[in-house]
Amino acid sequence: MLNTIAITTGEPAGIGPDITLMAAQQPWDAQLVAIGDAELLRQRAQLLQLDVSIEDYQPGQAATRHRPNHLAVLHTPLAEPVTPGKLNSNNARYVLNTLDIAIAGCLDGSFSAMCTAPVQKSVINDAGIPFSGHTEYLAEKTDTEHVVMMLATESLRVALATTHLPLSAVPAAITQESLSRTLHILHSDLTSKFGTANPCIAVLGLNPHAGEGGHLGREEIEVIEPLLQKLREQGLNLIGPLPADTAFNPSMLEQADAFLAMYHDQGLPVLKYAGFGEAINITLGLPIVRTSVDHGTALDLAGASTASDDSLRQAINGAIKIMSHNNRIKGNATIN
């Protein structure tokens, strides 16, 4: 079965269009469909001197394997022309329209998965549209009550118990109910999307030294450890809570299939140090498959031929691998 991967081209003034065009130069064992303004992509290809042919994609047409230097585009018009590197809040709705089209296509089966180029949260909020990030937006649009943000390299996976919250709001958000949902989703998706049997999950503490017996905070004693023990009794393979400063050691990296950090900047600096530009962001718990780059819009690099498409290529590869695994599972279920 040939998968169709939708690529949302992200903030039009950033490098999203650039890296989409760069990735289109490669062969892919899937159909790629870029969702964005076709003329913007033509202009950016010309600016970058990339020989990529922009072709009109018609929803419902039979899937064909991607050809290098060709890009099927589901045209979504900009509100106003774009200058690389210069944000324009009048195009904020355009960015969300590309996401809405990809989400709808994944839900109705037109697309197998979606990969997202980076968006600029600030300009969307400047347009008067509340927006805290892709993860939260996808959850809202798919009516998903609880999702998990996980970033991954070839050798390290880090999921988050909380996502885009001020640090002052994190402790109150760490509840047994929320952690239980997160860990069940992480366990389930590691099994179903990545084929990991009985995944081992290393859970970080919230406080320095994981609270040091309550002297540096009591969240580990009162919330995290009791919940982990309860989930172990239900069959989940959990380690922790671990002090965050020593958790990512060689022995634990070999043992754990994923780490759960309590907040954004607790786990992601380690992940991005290990694989910046090559890591991908995966939203777990959704009824659709979504992967993304691990970087921002890089406005200063837009249109300058200096951006790297490594992370987007990894995101596309990740989506294809997940869908290939899902297709094998479905095939085995049909045979059985």
Side-chain angles (χ1 to χ4, degrees):
M1 176 182 176
L2 187 65
N3 293 303
T4 299
I5 311 297
I7 303 175
T8 56
T9 51
E11 166 54 48
I15 63 170
D18 307 40
I19 60 177
T20 302
L21 290 160
M22 292 173 187
Q25 296 179 295
Q26 309 295 320
W28 294 99
D29 189 22
Q31 180 180 48
L32 303 187
V33 177
I35 302 176
D37 188 284
E39 187 57 32
L40 166 68
L41 290 163
R42 288 191 186 94
Q43 291 173 357
R44 197 65 62 88
Q46 183 176 13
L47 180 62
L48 296 170
Q49 298 183 339
L50 298 177
D51 184 19
V52 178
S53 175
I54 304 301
E55 301 169 353
D56 187 40
Y57 173 79
Q58 295 296 331
Q61 69 186 50
T64 57
R65 187 169 277 99
H66 177 78
R67 294 181 295 157
N69 297 313
H70 293 260
L71 182 59
V73 178
L74 180 51
H75 176 61
T76 307
L78 285 160
E80 295 185 1
V82 168
T83 300
K86 295 187 178 180
L87 295 171
N88 182 349
S89 61
N90 290 332
N91 282 322
R93 177 53 62 184
Y94 156 83
V95 174
L96 298 184
N97 287 343
T98 66
L99 293 176
D100 292 344
I101 290 167
I103 293 166
C106 288
L107 289 172
D108 70 19
S110 301
F111 304 132
S112 308
M114 61 184 287
C115 295
T116 55
V119 300
Q120 187 84 16
K121 292 191 282 289
S122 62
V123 77
I124 297 173
N125 283 287
D126 287 345
I129 306 169
F131 183 85
S132 57
H134 274 116
T135 303
E136 297 84 355
Y137 190 80
L138 288 161
E140 177 187 351
K141 290 295 180 176
T142 59
D143 292 322
T144 305
E145 187 174 351
H146 197 88
V147 295
V148 177
M149 179 177 173
M150 183 176 80
L151 271 75
T153 68
E154 287 293 327
S155 58
L156 177 63
R157 301 185 185 110
V158 177
L160 302 179
T162 60
T163 52
H164 301 112
L165 288 179
L167 192 56
S168 61
V170 169
I174 303 297
T175 67
Q176 289 198 8
E177 180 183 9
S178 177
L179 280 178
S180 179
R181 290 181 180 180
T182 296
L183 284 164
H184 276 295
I185 289 171
L186 182 54
H187 173 90
S188 176
D189 278 16
L190 287 172
T191 303
S192 63
K193 288 184 169 65
F194 297 92
T196 305
N198 190 32
C200 176
I201 302 170
V203 181
L204 307 187
L206 173 65
N207 296 294
H209 301 181
E212 200 165 293
H215 295 287
L216 296 176
R218 297 193 57 82
E219 285 84 359
E220 288 77 11
I221 293 173
E222 296 176 358
V223 179
I224 302 173
E225 176 53 38
L227 186 275
L228 297 188
Q229 185 55 41
K230 184 186 303 182
L231 295 182
R232 291 186 189 106
E233 293 169 1
Q234 296 175 14
L236 273 65
N237 184 6
L238 305 173
I239 301 172
L242 301 172
D245 63 340
T246 57
F248 297 96
N249 63 73
S251 175
M252 192 58 61
L253 289 169
E254 183 176 345
Q255 185 177 356
D257 295 297
F259 290 77
L260 179 66
M262 292 296 110
Y263 55 93
H264 188 281
D265 282 11
Q266 183 185 54
L268 295 194
V270 177
L271 185 286
K272 294 193 176 186
Y273 175 78
F276 188 77
E278 297 180 355
I280 63 174
N281 185 349
I282 307 162
T283 307
L284 307 180
L286 292 171
I288 64 176
V289 173
R290 178 260 177 163
T291 63
S292 183
V293 298
D294 71 339
H295 56 74
T297 54
L299 297 169
D300 57 324
L301 303 182
S305 300
T306 52
S308 170
D309 66 329
D310 286 350
S311 185
L312 180 60
R313 285 190 283 110
Q314 292 294 337
I316 296 169
N317 266 322
I320 292 172
K321 287 179 181 178
I322 291 171
M323 291 311 305
S324 296
H325 174 72
N326 289 352
N327 291 339
R328 283 196 300 272
I329 296 296
K330 290 177 182 177
N332 290 336
T334 301
I335 292 170
N336 294 337

